[in-house]
Amino acid sequence: MKKLFYLVAMLAMAAMVLVGCGATDTGKFKDGAYEGVARGASSDIKVSVEVKAGKIDGIKILEHEETQNLIEAVMENTIPEIIEKQGTEGVEAISGASKSSSAVKEAVNQALEKAKK
């Protein structure tokens, strides 16, 4: 019975610590819109990264002269993955659109450097 009491007490304390950490976590970026540019397959690709509550909230491609289907693949695959992972680490380049997707990742990294706390 004593072991059960200690186990419940430890679980309760661990839960309080986790809740406390979550309440103060405002992300690792300053809120705002930040831009970055990188070279794609046939042009520079300019992006805007929107940060809200310290986290990546959205990414828009502002300018490019890439083939439309390459950019669409990046918009449908790479950008949602960057938002989900809250950064470009672990985001793979798209086969067939590797230069465009790599350029978007590089441009996002530039933007995020400006947004770091």
Side-chain angles (χ1 to χ4, degrees):
M1 187 69 171
K2 201 174 194 180
K3 287 182 182 180
L4 179 61
F5 173 76
Y6 285 120
L7 178 62
V8 170
M10 292 299 286
L11 289 174
M13 288 190 329
M16 287 189 287
V17 167
L18 290 175
V19 168
C21 289
T24 59
D25 183 18
T26 58
K28 56 185 176 179
F29 305 112
K30 294 181 285 189
D31 288 1
Y34 303 91
E35 293 182 358
V37 179
R39 185 73 184 169
S42 58
S43 71
D44 285 343
I45 300 174
K46 183 176 182 180
V47 302
S48 174
V49 178
E50 181 76 26
V51 176
K52 290 183 182 173
K55 298 183 181 196
I56 301 170
D57 187 62
I59 300 169
K60 294 179 184 170
I61 296 177
L62 301 177
E63 297 174 15
H64 75 89
E65 293 180 22
E66 303 289 288
T67 305
Q68 191 60 33
N69 63 343
L70 297 180
I71 287 298
E72 286 173 2
V74 170
M75 290 177 4
E76 293 171 4
N77 298 290
T78 304
I79 289 176
E81 190 174 357
I82 292 170
I83 294 170
E84 178 185 327
K85 292 184 177 186
Q86 289 297 298
T88 61
E89 188 173 327
V91 176
E92 298 292 323
I94 298 172
S95 179
S98 59
K99 289 183 180 179
S100 298
S101 57
S102 293
V104 168
K105 288 174 26 179
E106 185 180 332
V108 166
N109 284 335
Q110 282 183 15
L112 292 176
E113 277 299 313
K114 299 172 189 173
K116 283 187 178 175
K117 287 186 174 181

